[in-house]
Amino acid sequence: MKLNIAVLPGDGIGPEVTAQAVKVLKAIAMEFNHVFTFNEALVGASAIDKTGNPLPEETISICDKADAILFGAIGNTKYDDNPTAEIRPEQGLLGLRKTFDLYTNIRPVIAYEDLLNKSSLKIKQIKGTDILIYRELASGIYFGEKKFSDTEASDICVYKRSEIERIAHLAFKAAQGRKRKLTLVDKANVLASSRLWRSVVTEIAAEYPDVALNCLFVDNAAMELIINPRQFDVILTENMFGDILSEEASVIVGSIGLLASASIGEKHVMFEPIHGAYSKATNKGIANPIASILSAAMLLEHFGLYDEASLVRDGVDKSLKLHITTPDLNTKYDNISTSKVGDFIEDFINNPDETNLNFTNIHLGQSTII
Ligand code: IPM
Ligand code: MN
């Protein structure tokens, strides 16, 4: 298969982790005889520094022509600390989501057996967790009218029926292929926009009689997600609740450095880790590349390359099993860097049978850990 992939590394740890995902995709292309071409483009604070614009025209055009976008991270503390800055790195990411109408963001939350003890939650609480969060990504409070002055500020949350319907159908269909449970998370006791979500989703549920729908208020959902995450199958929610709940859910998995996502529109698709730029860790080699690598696996799955994606996932599983992981997860070795994790998974893709559990043949690029 030929795939033209736009690579937007962005800011902070974005370039380091994205480089590992590209490394892995190149190994897959080689192993399975695909032709993947990669076109890099600027976004976020690094784009502002070079062009004054967080989403330059050239980036939009490269993404528009691509089959898929692989996104790193954006953000820089110098903007976080300056609430009045009018040009902000986040406009790059939000602009991409809006320009390409990437309305469905899918965030899997899976408690890996090998990482159960890394979570700050109790093993018996999280074991077996397997949730798919469907977060609406192109509307809501993120994109409503904003006003800002010294004395008053506001953000408007607007949802149109059609915006709820299109993601709701995708979420119901996803539930049909899983445990057939859909939880709508809203705040319908307070917000009018949530009341529209609840009535539209309840209406659509009639078309999916094999899926059990239940509705939870977001404050309650935040608690249930920690107390009993196994009760959830597919969670459907609006933009901001999905942002917050998915980051909360990363506690179940053990590190936010593990959570991947796919953002789907009618014509364009983007794959991105859910974590941000983590500026403090930039270029230290400590950023976990697995979220980015798993986002690449989601990219492969999107194009029906299931064997390829499962080889990537096997490589990730093996790296976790052997503790070939960055310091956010590692307690065994203290010298495994971002790029070594990428090298290990690349090596696994090239020689899936050679890598074994006895620590006798674990290649890390040119070096070997014994
Ligand atoms: C995410 C991020 C973004 C969001 C930020 C960087 C704008 O937190 O993808 O979850 O809020 O959507
Ligand atoms: Mn977020």
Side-chain angles (χ1 to χ4, degrees), residues 111-167:
Y112 290 91
E113 277 294 312
D114 293 307
L115 295 181
L116 292 174
N117 62 349
K118 306 287 181 198
S119 171
S120 29
L121 304 174
K122 293 196 182 87
I123 292 179
K124 66 172 190 320
Q125 245 164 301
I126 58 174
K127 199 173 159 55
T129 299
D130 181 356
I131 305 171
L132 260 193
I133 299 180
Y134 271 61
R135 168 189 177 194
E136 200 292 327
L137 202 64
S139 188
I141 200 164
Y142 274 59
F143 294 101
E145 189 193 352
K146 297 183 183 305
K147 289 191 182 150
F148 183 84
S149 78
D150 273 355
T151 49
E152 207 175 286
S154 63
D155 301 271
I156 309 270
C157 181
V158 182
Y159 267 108
K160 293 195 168 63
R161 166 177 278 271
S162 58
E163 291 169 333
I164 301 169
E165 282 170 350
R166 59 185 184 170
I167 186 174

Side-chain angles (χ1 to χ4, degrees), residues 184-205:
L184 171 68
V185 174
D186 63 27
K187 187 74 186 172
N189 50 346
V190 177
L191 303 178
S193 54
S194 281
R195 284 200 282 278
L196 184 62
W197 271 86
R198 203 172 268 219
S199 75
V200 172
V201 172
T202 309
E203 215 175 284
I204 290 175

Side-chain angles (χ1 to χ4, degrees), residues 207-250:
E207 295 175 43
Y208 301 89
D210 52 335
V211 176
L213 170 70
N214 77 314
C215 303
L216 278 187
F217 295 140
V218 62
D219 45 353
N220 185 214
M223 184 182 73
E224 290 292 333
L225 198 53
I226 294 299
I227 292 180
N228 179 14
R230 268 193 305 270
Q231 71 183 286
F232 297 107
D233 180 21
V234 177
I235 291 178
L236 167 63
T237 192
E238 59 101 80
N239 203 342
M240 190 154 82
F241 298 159
D243 178 43
I244 298 167
L245 291 180
S246 57
E247 186 140 340
E248 183 194 5
S250 73

Side-chain angles (χ1 to χ4, degrees), residues 76-91 146-150 152-153 155:
N76 185 304
T77 39
K78 77 177 175 209
Y79 297 95
D80 299 342
D81 300 339
N82 177 7
T84 56
E86 283 194 1
I87 298 179
R88 314 183 66 83
E90 288 75 13
Q91 290 158 351
K146 297 183 183 305
K147 289 191 182 150
F148 183 84
S149 78
D150 273 355
E152 207 175 286
D155 301 271

